[in-house]
């Protein structure tokens, strides 16, 4: 195994980052590129021993980091953001090679947002406050105490964006971190370790272990020294993590899957609705928030479908490094099998493909729209996590809301309507952590983010992130400062 590989001209260390040192495991796993299935390199494959070493390093570094002033923590987070901005182009090409998402999105949208994750939580930390209050002359003071070593486990669909959305608030809160990125896209996390070290983050404050969740997950999530676990990924993994964390009642934040609806009412601007609908093929459909179920009012369904099919037909699918590409590959041959399995079972059950419905060469799946699908069918109820959407119709507002809410998920919902009163009525009844009206994917880090039902537990974002990563403490002081017998 070589310690460093070159990816798109960028040197990437393939080892873990533990206590300020690069550490290798005896074994490796192979990282492949979804663009062409080629091998990118061999990556250190952690055993429970490296997981334990990373937690020990985070534990050792915790007291000093927790005692570091807010101003200094904020300064270091801004220094990391500077490093991300300086290496933006490198991060973009490495991420695209590793997970197949569009290079143009990484350059213009994703990597600037990665830097923003650090700047936002640095700035929020400096204004984090609660007004003191009195109880019969006694002063109450609420403080956000750092909670301890935090294990952060992330998926492959937006690797660095989702990792830093956790790393930044955890570090800002004064916690030390063990980051475990997904094994299908491990590379940019390693670059982040380099950037953090260059920024001057003390050794052990941020640690990185690479490898399979099935092999080191338990070692990370059942450890008594871990005081927070934040996980983004699938529901089955979340269940395993929750069971493992139960031993120490470690507080959990779970950001999970979705089967979100797009409701299109007859009074909507249909061009806008179609634009919102086609956007759901972004990242080859590998977006947790994607509105994968179109619910369209009967009277406009035919026209909506006609315009959607036409617009979807104009999408360019291909190499994600090409500026002209709209839809890239899917992450892994196993994911492709999974996607195709969903589509073929749906078709066997009577669904009709209005668009796509089949694999293409390599790791590409044709953008697909299925109709004639039953509400209780697998394709309507289960998350596919690929470019596969369904179309159903409704007759009344009540029916639209009923269908929208009728899955086990509750991550997001999008409503297209020209009637503000209807928007108010419908959004009030939708079960979802985020609802968009006549827009999609507008995200602000001040907002709470998370899912209802099987889409998650807890909320992160703004002060909700600090509420999660900190131990909130209320200190009550007697009127004269030392006695409560005043
Ligand atoms: P996954 O659950 O298979 O894996 C996620 C991470 O968990 C990986 O790092 C994996 O190695 C790790 N893991 C696996 N088994 C583990 C175990 N036993 N203990 C600890 N960690 C373990 O999910 P995925 O396929 O990588 O990601 C896709 C899923 O993530 C989809 O369901 C998607 O909707 C969801 N997602 C949710 C959000 C959100 O914010 N709600 C964002 C992106 C993705």
């Amino acid at each position: 195994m070589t310690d460093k590989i070159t990816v798109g001209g960028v040197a990437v260390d393939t080892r873990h980052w533990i206590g300020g040192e690069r550490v290798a495991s005896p074994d490796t796993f192979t990282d492949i590129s979804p663009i062409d299935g080629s091998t990118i390199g061999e990556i250190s494959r952690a055993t429970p021993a490296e997981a334990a070493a990373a937690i020990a390093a985070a534990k050792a570094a915790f007291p000093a980091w927790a005692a570091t002033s807010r101003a200094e923590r904020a300064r270091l987070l801004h220094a990391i953001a500077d490093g991300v901005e300086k290496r933006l182009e490198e991060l973009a090409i490495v991420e695209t090679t590793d997970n197949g998402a569009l290079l143009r999105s990484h350059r213009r949208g994703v990597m600037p947002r990665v830097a923003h994750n650090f700047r936002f939580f640095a700035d929020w930390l400096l204004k984090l406050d609660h007004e003191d209050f009195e109880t019969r002359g006694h002063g109450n003071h609420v403080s956000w105490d750092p909670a301890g070593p935090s294990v952060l486990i992330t998926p492959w669909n937006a690797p660095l964006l989702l990792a830093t959305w956790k790393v930044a608030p955890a570090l800002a809160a004064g916690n030390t971190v063990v980051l475990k990125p997904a094994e299908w896209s491990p590379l940019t996390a390693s670059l982040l370790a380099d950037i953090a070290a260059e920024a001057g983050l003390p050794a052990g404050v941020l640690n990185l272990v690479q490898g399979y969740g099935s092999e080191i997950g338990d070692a990370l999530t059942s450890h008594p020294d871990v005081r927070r676990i934040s996980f983004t990924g699938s529901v089955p993994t979340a269940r395993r993590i929750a069971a493992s964390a139960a031993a120490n009642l470690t507080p959990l934040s779970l950001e999970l899957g979705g089967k979100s609806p797009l409701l299109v009412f007859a009074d909507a601007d249909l061009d806008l609705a179609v634009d919102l609908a086609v956007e759901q093929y972004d990242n080859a459909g590998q977006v947790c928030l994607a509105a994968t179920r179109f619910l369209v009012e009967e009277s406009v369904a035919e026209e909506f479908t006609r315009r959607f099919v036409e617009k979807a037909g104009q999408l360019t699918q291909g190499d994600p490094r090409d500026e002209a590409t709209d839809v890239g590959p899917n992450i892994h041959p196993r994911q492709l099998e999974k996607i195709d399995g969903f589509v073929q079972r749906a078709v066997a059950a009577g669904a009709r493909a209005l668009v796509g419905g089949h694999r293409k060469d390599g790791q590409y799946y044709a953008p697909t729209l299925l109709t004639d699908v039953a509400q209780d069918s697998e394709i309507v109820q289960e998350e596919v996590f690929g470019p596969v959407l369904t179309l159903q119709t409704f007759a009344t507002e009540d029916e639209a809301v009923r269908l929208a809410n009728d899955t086990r998920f509750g991550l997001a919902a999008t409503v297209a309507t020209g009637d503000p009163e209807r928007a108010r009525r419908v959004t009030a009844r939708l079960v979802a952590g985020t609802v968009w009206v006549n827009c999609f994917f507008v995200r602000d880090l001040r907002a709470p983010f998370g899912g209802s039902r099987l889409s998650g537990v807890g909320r992160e974002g703004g002060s909700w992130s600090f509420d999660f990563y900190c131990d909130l403490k209320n200190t009550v002081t007697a009127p004269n400062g030392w006695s409560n017998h005043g």
Side-chain angles (χ1 to χ4, degrees):
M1 170 188 159
T2 50
D3 294 343
K4 285 210 175 184
I5 52 176
T6 303
V7 185
V10 183
V12 183
D13 204 302
T14 56
R15 296 168 294 179
H16 318 294
W17 174 249
I18 299 174
E21 307 274 345
R22 288 288 176 178
V23 174
S25 291
D27 264 351
T28 62
F29 63 93
T30 305
D31 186 25
I32 61 163
S33 175
I35 298 175
D36 52 10
S38 62
T39 295
I40 299 176
E42 293 294 319
I43 313 295
S44 258
R45 177 173 179 163
T47 67
E50 287 89 56
I55 293 169
K59 185 183 181 187
F62 175 67
W65 182 243
T68 300
S69 70
R70 285 186 181 195
E72 175 61 5
R73 275 187 254 150
R75 187 190 68 75
L76 282 164
L77 290 192
H78 277 294
I80 295 174
D82 292 342
V84 169
E85 281 164 2
K86 209 169 90 195
R87 301 186 67 179
L88 199 135
E89 188 61 28
E90 295 180 17
L91 291 165
I93 187 66
V94 170
E95 196 83 296
T96 291
T97 310
D98 207 11
N99 90 331
L102 300 188
L103 182 59
R104 66 166 201 243
S105 308
H106 283 148
R107 277 184 177 142
R108 285 176 222 142
V110 175
M111 295 308 164
R113 282 175 64 198
V114 166
H116 181 61
N117 280 343
F118 286 100
R119 297 203 191 285
F120 172 86
F121 286 107
D123 293 345
W124 196 280
L125 169 67
L126 295 180
K127 60 180 194 206
L128 191 66
D129 207 358
H130 195 291
E131 218 170 287
D132 289 352
F133 51 97
E134 269 189 26
T135 312
R136 296 188 305 278
H138 298 62
N140 288 259
H141 176 72
V142 177
S143 55
W144 280 259
D145 292 2
S150 303
V151 163
L152 312 178
I153 301 174
T154 50
W156 43 261
N157 63 317
L160 195 60
L161 185 70
L162 294 172
T164 54
W165 149 256
K166 298 179 189 300
V167 168
L171 294 181
N175 294 352
T176 51
V177 163
V178 176
L179 171 63
K180 211 297 281 169
E183 53 272 28
W184 284 349
S185 59
L187 301 181
T188 47
S190 182
L191 294 179
L192 177 68
D194 290 343
I195 290 169
E198 283 158 21
L201 197 73
V205 172
L206 172 65
N207 304 278
L208 165 70
V209 282
Q210 304 281 19
Y212 289 96
S214 54
E215 296 175 359
I216 54 167
D218 272 352
L220 291 171
T221 54
S222 67
H223 200 291
D225 291 334
V226 170
R227 292 314 313 142
R228 291 293 184 274
I229 299 167
S230 180
F231 168 74
T232 299
S234 64
V235 173
T237 306
R239 288 199 177 102
R240 280 194 285 274
I241 291 175
S244 168
N248 303 298
L249 295 179
T250 312
L252 284 173
S253 170
L254 302 173
E255 296 179 353
L256 312 177
K259 194 73 188 177
S260 303
L262 164 65
L263 293 83
V264 179
F265 288 93
D267 55 26
D269 172 341
L270 264 203
D271 283 334
L272 170 74
V274 168
D275 283 350
L276 296 174
V278 172
E279 229 182 300
Q280 308 309 322
Y281 290 131
D282 276 6
N283 210 12
Q286 302 164 136
V287 176
C288 58
L289 293 161
T292 50
R293 294 185 293 134
F294 299 167
L295 303 173
V296 184
E297 191 160 353
E298 277 168 9
S299 57
V300 291
E302 206 179 311
E303 181 60 12
F304 171 88
T305 306
R306 190 188 64 72
R307 292 197 212 177
F308 178 88
V309 170
E310 188 186 325
K311 191 137 194 162
Q314 292 162 3
L315 292 171
T316 305
Q317 188 165 27
D319 191 321
R321 293 166 296 195
D322 187 338
E323 275 285 313
T325 297
D326 300 306
V327 182
N330 288 100
I331 183 80
H332 195 274
R334 280 219 322 262
Q335 186 67 13
L336 212 64
E337 284 297 324
K338 200 179 131 199
I339 295 167
D340 198 43
F342 273 113
V343 171
Q344 299 320 323
R345 287 191 297 278
V347 169
R352 199 158 43 93
L354 295 171
V355 181
H358 54 86
R359 300 174 68 140
K360 294 172 97 173
D361 286 345
Q363 266 175 236
Y364 294 79
Y365 204 86
T368 295
L369 177 68
L370 300 174
T371 194
D372 297 341
V373 291
Q375 179 62 22
D376 62 357
S377 64
E378 180 193 57
I379 197 70
V380 170
Q381 293 293 328
E382 299 297 328
E383 184 185 48
V384 176
F385 225 55
V388 178
L389 311 167
T390 58
L391 175 86
Q392 296 165 274
T393 60
F394 64 83
T396 65
E397 191 176 298
D398 272 352
E399 191 188 3
V401 171
R402 184 177 61 73
L403 293 174
N405 286 339
D406 181 25
T407 72
R408 296 174 306 155
F409 296 101
L411 192 56
T414 303
V415 181
T417 175
D419 178 353
E421 261 311 297
R422 188 199 295 282
R424 196 193 50 73
R425 281 195 309 271
V426 169
T427 56
R429 296 171 66 194
L430 290 172
V431 180
T434 302
V435 181
W436 286 290
V437 178
N438 295 325
C439 60
F440 178 69
F441 219 88
V442 179
R443 292 263 292 115
D444 189 313
L445 298 187
R446 290 170 293 187
F449 180 79
S452 303
R453 305 199 286 214
L454 282 191
S455 290
V457 174
R459 297 289 183 271
E460 295 191 43
S463 47
W464 292 277
S465 292
F466 288 95
D467 287 353
F468 171 69
Y469 287 109
C470 292
D471 281 331
L472 282 155
K473 182 162 74 194
N474 188 40
T475 303
V476 186
T477 305
N480 60 8
W482 61 272
S483 162
N484 63 356
H485 299 296

